[in-house]
Amino acid sequence: MSSALPYWRLSSFYFFYFALLGATAPFFPLYFDHLGFSAARIGELLAIPMLMRCLAPNLWGWLGDASGRRLAIVRLGALCTLGSFALIFVGKSYAWLVLVMALHAFFWHAVLPQFEVITLAHLREQSARYSQLRLWGSIGFIAAVVGLGQLFEWLGLGVFPWVIVLIMGGIVLGSFWVPNAQPEQRAGLEVQGGFLCQLRRPGVLPFYACVALMQLSHGPYYTFFSIHLETLGYGRGLIGQLWALGVLAEILLFLAMAGLLRRFSLRRLLMASFLLAALRWLLLGNLADHLPALLLAQMMHAATFGCFHASAIHFVQRSFGVRQQGQGQALYATLSGVGGALGALYSGYCWTSLGPARTFALASLAALSAAIIIATRSREEGP
């Protein structure tokens, strides 16, 4: 890395941000189940943060592009996330948890799109090395799922809120350690008009539709994967290790991503991600009780999240000018939220009535639809 790049400061923020995701994605469903909520209520509670991604990123993205004060938004978002989630210590009723989930998610989802713009501004011409920074987020995720899986085995899920508050404190500290940077003006895009004009460029809208479908397909995974495995007899420690295996595969992908970007177009990388996602959900829905199939499905996380996310970030950067970067990243987060919310809701309502196999089959169909769209409606770009 260049000596001018604040590598460890940027990396530490990604570490804590995705450690929070590693603490919430596998264990929020188990915590709500521990509190006695039904599958439908769990699906609704977990859909709320996704719904906040439909509103918060666009609001904060517009504010970041208009003011240029993206780092201030990151810091404010981190502080308000911590303060909002701390309200969980006041009560545990369904209505109160709806408020807690909505408030903390509104601020949490303000943070990452703006931070991605700051990171790419620091990288400048080294943008292909984004994955070498982002992999520390994956390491943070692994540290959380493995460590907390064991912790909850020993102490139970009652300590869950305290753990989340501690990790959110790390995000706050990381946000104040990061130096600011502004993206450079790039020729070619600004002359094509504002955000809406650039959004209508060939291939951009189909890409965003695929983002929503991909996140919709992850609905059963993020909402019920841990519960599914616990029902099949897997212990919480092993469940955490299985989540970690997926993210370890993701880290290896991030290390190889610069080479993949040189060899393959973004369109091909995205298509491969969607096709492997379709296969992964079928494996989880039908063969999760067979450990070899489960291990294979988790290693596919390298494609379904790692390759997809890195390719998507590069696609957005290439598709918008400097004054539209925040809105482009925010729209990516928003469409991810729309898809994720719909995925959490449908899986919550289908899990008991249709069963895991059919619920994951619907997820597979969504990922396959994204592959068809990207194959037929997007432009081929050189590596």
Side-chain angles (χ1 to χ4, degrees):
M1 286 294 199
S2 167
S3 60
L5 182 68
Y7 179 81
W8 292 112
R9 298 187 185 197
L10 294 168
S11 299
S12 67
F13 183 89
Y14 281 115
F15 179 91
F16 284 110
Y17 187 92
F18 286 96
L20 180 59
L21 185 61
T24 54
F27 300 115
F28 247 145
L30 294 176
Y31 179 65
F32 291 143
D33 185 60
H34 165 76
L35 293 179
F37 292 108
S38 67
R41 298 292 85 78
I42 291 172
E44 290 164 1
L45 286 169
L46 295 179
I48 292 169
M50 299 295 184
L51 288 171
M52 286 298 104
R53 291 180 74 178
C54 307
L55 171 65
N58 286 312
L59 172 62
W60 295 107
W62 171 83
L63 185 61
D65 284 341
S67 68
R69 301 189 64 185
R70 295 186 177 89
L71 187 57
I73 291 173
V74 169
R75 290 168 175 170
L76 176 65
L79 283 167
C80 291
T81 298
L82 174 59
S84 299
F85 185 82
L87 294 173
I88 200 170
F89 296 111
V90 176
K92 302 292 193 300
S93 70
Y94 176 76
W96 188 255
L97 288 174
V98 167
L99 175 65
V100 171
M101 296 296 281
L103 275 179
H104 96 268
F106 177 78
F107 294 108
W108 188 33
H109 292 311
V111 170
L112 188 61
Q114 301 307 308
F115 193 79
E116 299 280 30
V117 176
I118 293 169
T119 296
L120 291 168
H122 277 294
L123 288 167
R124 299 190 185 277
E125 71 279 358
Q126 303 178 77
S127 62
R129 293 183 170 178
Y130 163 83
S131 298
Q132 296 176 19
L133 287 165
R134 175 58 182 78
L135 68 85
W136 283 97
S138 303
I139 293 171
F141 189 102
I142 287 179
V145 294
V146 173
L148 296 183
Q150 294 297 330
L151 181 68
F152 297 145
E153 286 273 12
W154 298 332
L155 301 181
L157 286 161
V159 300
F160 176 82
W162 294 100
V163 171
I164 299 302
V165 164
L166 287 174
I167 297 174
M168 287 178 174
I171 296 175
V172 171
L173 293 176
S175 71
F176 280 90
W177 195 32
V178 171
N180 200 11
Q182 296 292 343
E184 288 185 319
Q185 182 84 21
R186 292 184 295 122
L189 287 173
E190 300 299 337
V191 297
Q192 297 184 26
F195 176 72
L196 292 178
C197 290
Q198 293 176 35
L199 186 63
R200 291 194 292 268
R201 294 173 64 229
V204 178
L205 284 173
F207 160 78
Y208 280 112
C210 291
V211 167
L213 284 168
M214 185 63 150
Q215 294 306 315
L216 186 151
S217 82
H218 279 71
Y221 177 69
Y222 286 130
T223 309
F224 290 107
F225 179 64
S226 295
I227 293 175
H228 183 40
L229 295 187
E230 197 167 56
T231 301
L232 292 174
Y234 296 96
R236 288 174 189 164
L238 180 57
I239 290 172
Q241 291 167 13
L242 286 165
W243 278 90
L245 174 63
V247 183
L248 178 60
E250 171 191 315
I251 290 174
L252 296 176
L253 186 284
F254 280 143
L255 291 172
M257 196 66 199
L260 291 174
L261 287 168
R262 287 192 294 268
R263 292 192 60 188
F264 302 104
S265 67
L266 291 176
R267 178 172 174 262
R268 292 184 180 181
L269 291 171
L270 288 168
M271 195 184 312
S273 300
F274 299 143
L275 290 173
L276 288 172
L279 176 59
R280 185 187 184 196
W281 307 142
L282 291 177
L283 289 174
L284 288 180
N286 296 278
L287 297 173
D289 54 337
H290 298 282
L291 187 58
L294 182 56
L295 294 174
L296 175 62
Q298 283 304 89
M299 288 188 286
M300 287 182 179
H301 195 71
T304 63
F305 179 82
C307 183
F308 166 73
H309 176 70
S311 299
I313 291 294
H314 283 282
F315 186 97
V316 172
Q317 188 198 26
R318 292 185 186 183
S319 298
F320 296 98
V322 61
R323 298 189 65 182
Q324 291 79 34
Q325 285 287 307
Q327 294 170 82
Q329 296 290 353
L331 186 59
Y332 169 58
T334 295
L335 269 296
S336 296
V338 171
L342 292 175
L345 285 172
Y346 101 78
S347 60
Y349 294 133
C350 292
W351 192 257
T352 301
S353 58
L354 297 183
R358 291 181 179 178
T359 304
F360 273 111
L362 292 173
S364 180
L365 182 61
L368 184 60
S369 300
I372 293 171
I373 291 173
I374 209 73
T376 58
R377 301 297 302 274
S378 66
R379 296 186 306 169
E380 182 74 57
E381 291 188 34

